[in-house]
């Protein structure tokens, strides 16, 4: 069974595209995102908020 749904794939692709064009900004500070891993995390977060099939994020310590 797939861990991620279609919505997650679309949101991550959109976030990576924005990051590549220099348009993606982080949530709190509003700084420009330059790391592709951070762009993926933002895309997955957006997919979760939109109700897509995405596993829960790892617990933060």
């Amino acid at each position: 069974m797939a861990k991620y749904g279609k919505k997650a794939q679309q949101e991550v692709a959109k976030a990576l595209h924005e990051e590549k064009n220099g348009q993606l900004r982080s949530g709190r500070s509003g700084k420009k995102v330059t790391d592709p891993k951070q762009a993926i995390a933002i895309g997955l977060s957006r997919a979760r908020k939109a109700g897509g099939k995405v596993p829960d994020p790892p617990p933060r310590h």
Side-chain angles (χ1 to χ4, degrees):
M1 182 117 201
K3 288 185 179 182
Y4 298 91
K6 191 95 168 165
K7 184 70 175 176
Q9 183 179 355
Q10 292 170 348
E11 288 293 337
V12 168
K14 186 176 173 185
L16 282 170
H17 185 74
E18 288 177 15
E19 183 261 331
K20 189 175 179 183
N21 289 331
Q23 298 170 339
L24 187 63
R25 305 226 169 237
S26 67
R28 286 189 181 175
S29 64
K31 291 182 179 178
K32 193 184 297 183
V33 173
T34 57
D35 185 16
K37 285 186 179 182
Q38 189 177 1
I40 291 169
I42 291 170
L44 290 175
S45 177
R46 288 179 183 174
R48 276 187 198 95
K49 287 179 184 172
K53 183 180 179 227
V54 184
D56 291 333
R60 297 176 73 188
H61 294 105

